[in-house]
Each structure stands twice: as C-alpha cells, then as structure tokens.
Amino acid sequence: MDSMTPTPPVPQAAPRRRLSHRGAVTVWTTLLVAIVGLAFFLPLWWTFVNSLRPGAETFRYLAPLSWETFFTLTPTAGNYLALLDSDLGRAIGNSLLVSLVTVAAGLVVCSTAAFGLSAFRFRGQGALFAVVILSFLIPFDAIAIPLASLFRDWNLQNTFLGLILPGIGNGMAIFLLRTFFLAIPEELVEAGRLDGLGWWGIFTRIYLPLSRPALIGAGLMLFLFQWQAYVWPLLMGTDREHILGPVALSNLQGQFQVDYGVLFAASMVLVVIPLAIILGFQRYFIQSVTTTGLK
C-alpha cells in the first residue's frame, strides 16, 4: 500500500515569488514612466490652456494652484485669430515655406549624393564619406557666423534662398540614405542593367521606390533642422518679410508689453506643426531606423 501512496507535489513557491517580483517591478516602472510623462505634459498643457485665455488672465490662477490653473470654462480662439494679422503669423508661414522647400530640395540633393557614395567605387570615396560624417558632427552654430559673412558677400541676406541653402546638404540625411542604399541587393541592380537601364534609371526605378521609409526619415530630419533653427535665421532673416517663427517669438518676448495669450498661441503652433508631422510619419521613421544597416 505504501508503494501506491502518491508522491506529494513539489512546492512552486520560488517561481511564484519570481513572478510576483516581476509584477512589482512592472508596476513601479509603469508608475515612474507615468510620473515622468506627466511632468513633461503638464507645462505643455498649461501653455495650451493659457493660449485659450486673454493675456491678462495668464498668471491669474497660478497662486494658489487650483483646477482653474489647468482648465478653463471660457476658452476663446482670439489669440489664434490675432496671429493671422501679426508678424508672428507671417513668421510662422515663412518657417513652413522654408522648411517644406528645404525638404523637397534637400531630398533631391541628399539622395543623389547617397546614391553616388553607395553605388559607385572611386578613389577617395572613404575620405569623402568621412567629410560627410564630420559635417554633422560639428554643430552648425559653430560655423554660422563666418558662413553668414560669406552669404552677405553674395547678397543672400534677407532672401529665402539664403535661409534655405544651408539646410539642403544635410550630412546626417546623406549618411542615413547611403546606409539604406547599401542594403539594397546587388542582384536588383544587375537585373536593371540587363534590362537596359542606365544609372539614372536604376536610381529612380529601383533605389528610390525601395527607400521610401529612409526618404521619409531623412525628410523629417531636414524639416526639423530648419523648423527649430534659430541662429541662422537670426543672422540672415532680419527684415519683416523674411523673419522666421523662432526669431519672431524671441523678439516678442523682448518687448516691454507682452501679450502672453498671443505668445502662448504662437508657441503652441510652433510645437503642434512638427509634432503632427512626426506622429503622422512615425512608423516610416521607425522603419527607416530599424532597417538601416541590415543587408
């Protein structure tokens, strides 16, 4: 009968303890991420709420803090409507124009350069690519002043061309596109050559269609480079017709009387436009980064 007695099960306390420990870590990590996210979100939300209030009420509910600090029952779009008739509205429009033209022209230049550095083999190719890498390792603001002096000699100050040109040849965009181009199978290039395609046909019919995620990622880099630029527009766009958004926003802060409602409305526009573009193309940008370098 003793041989028929079932063996008692082995206690599973250790695995359960390990699972409960992992659950606790997950809960605390989620809580920490939520707190950090809230710390970043609250100033942006406060700015948005105050952009819907008259400028005289901006700091009315700061002391003491209450629910009215972060919410308003009487929102108004007057501050945003005021942007349309102000220099800030013109400056934001100039920023959008300069950024979009930079993306269009920059993708042509950067993709062509990346194709030349990936599809051809020539003497000095490594040194040339090293110069491309060095170009985005050096902060642009470090060369902005001597470059602005050169542009003034070319009569490019207070012109849209002078504002756009430095952003067209972006070393980081060239690096990203070249790395993506290197992952394209050589068999496709050979098949294209057998079908009678020249190098330009291979570039436009094989490389570009397969590199849409990388092109979108490079376009986002070019857009953000121009949209958030401050030193270069400050040096080159000094008149009313060519001033850009960040410079106009900074000039408004330096006046004796500031309408904070309009100021916050302009700040929200300058934040929301690139945020909407990034969120719209997020999956393409992530795909371009995750597939770069794979072959």
Side-chain angles (χ1 to χ4, degrees):
M1 296 294 294
D2 293 340
S3 59
M4 302 277 301
T5 303
T7 305
V10 179
Q12 299 293 326
R16 291 180 180 177
R17 198 176 298 116
R18 192 179 302 115
L19 290 175
S20 65
H21 176 71
R22 290 180 181 176
V25 170
T26 302
V27 170
W28 284 107
T29 302
T30 304
L31 183 61
L32 179 61
V33 170
I35 293 174
V36 173
L38 187 63
F40 279 95
F41 175 74
L42 278 180
L44 183 62
W45 176 255
W46 181 81
T47 303
F48 171 69
V49 170
N50 282 280
S51 70
L52 300 176
R53 287 172 173 162
E57 299 183 6
T58 300
F59 304 106
R60 180 179 176 182
Y61 304 102
L62 275 180
L65 292 178
S66 65
W67 66 268
E68 291 182 298
T69 305
F70 301 102
F71 297 94
T72 177
L73 297 178
T74 57
T76 175
N79 295 323
Y80 292 93
L81 295 177
L83 287 178
L84 300 177
D85 299 326
S86 66
D87 291 340
L88 272 172
R90 179 196 296 268
I92 292 173
N94 290 341
S95 292
L96 193 60
L97 173 65
V98 169
S99 299
L100 293 178
V101 174
T102 299
V103 171
L107 285 180
V108 174
V109 172
C110 293
S111 61
T112 306
F115 176 72
L117 290 171
S118 60
F120 301 106
R121 299 293 180 266
F122 53 89
R123 183 177 299 177
Q125 183 181 28
L128 183 59
F129 185 60
V131 172
V132 172
I133 295 177
L134 187 64
S135 67
F136 68 81
L137 293 180
I138 299 176
F140 179 77
D141 294 346
I143 62 172
I145 294 178
L147 188 61
S149 178
L150 184 63
F151 272 49
R152 292 191 189 99
D153 295 339
W154 294 344
N155 296 320
L156 291 177
Q157 188 176 19
N158 292 324
T159 63
F160 287 114
L161 183 61
L163 292 169
I164 292 170
L165 277 179
I168 291 179
N170 188 288
M172 186 63 185
I174 296 175
F175 173 80
L176 174 66
L177 290 171
R178 176 187 179 271
T179 308
F180 198 94
F181 286 169
L182 290 175
I184 295 178
E186 296 181 0
E187 291 79 4
L188 294 177
V189 178
E190 295 175 357
R193 299 289 289 178
L194 291 175
D195 289 339
L197 291 178
W199 285 113
W200 180 252
I202 292 174
F203 174 58
T204 57
R205 297 188 181 185
I206 297 178
Y207 276 75
L208 292 184
L210 293 175
S211 305
R212 183 176 301 176
L215 290 171
I216 293 176
L220 288 175
M221 291 181 186
L222 293 170
F223 183 88
L224 293 177
F225 174 82
Q226 284 287 31
W227 186 262
Q228 66 186 5
Y230 177 77
V231 174
W232 184 252
L234 181 65
L235 295 172
M236 298 303 297
T238 58
D239 63 358
R240 183 180 178 184
E241 287 72 21
H242 299 91
I243 192 171
L244 299 189
V247 178
L249 191 65
S250 177
N251 292 342
L252 185 63
Q253 292 176 344
Q255 296 177 0
F256 292 104
Q257 294 182 350
V258 180
D259 189 336
Y260 286 99
V262 177
L263 178 66
F264 288 154
S267 301
M268 289 305 303
V269 173
L270 289 174
V271 169
V272 167
I273 290 178
L275 182 62
I277 294 176
I278 291 174
L279 292 178
F281 294 99
Q282 181 181 14
R283 66 186 183 94
Y284 296 102
F285 179 74
I286 295 175
Q287 184 180 354
S288 69
V289 174
T290 55
T291 55
T292 296
L294 299 179
K295 190 169 183 179

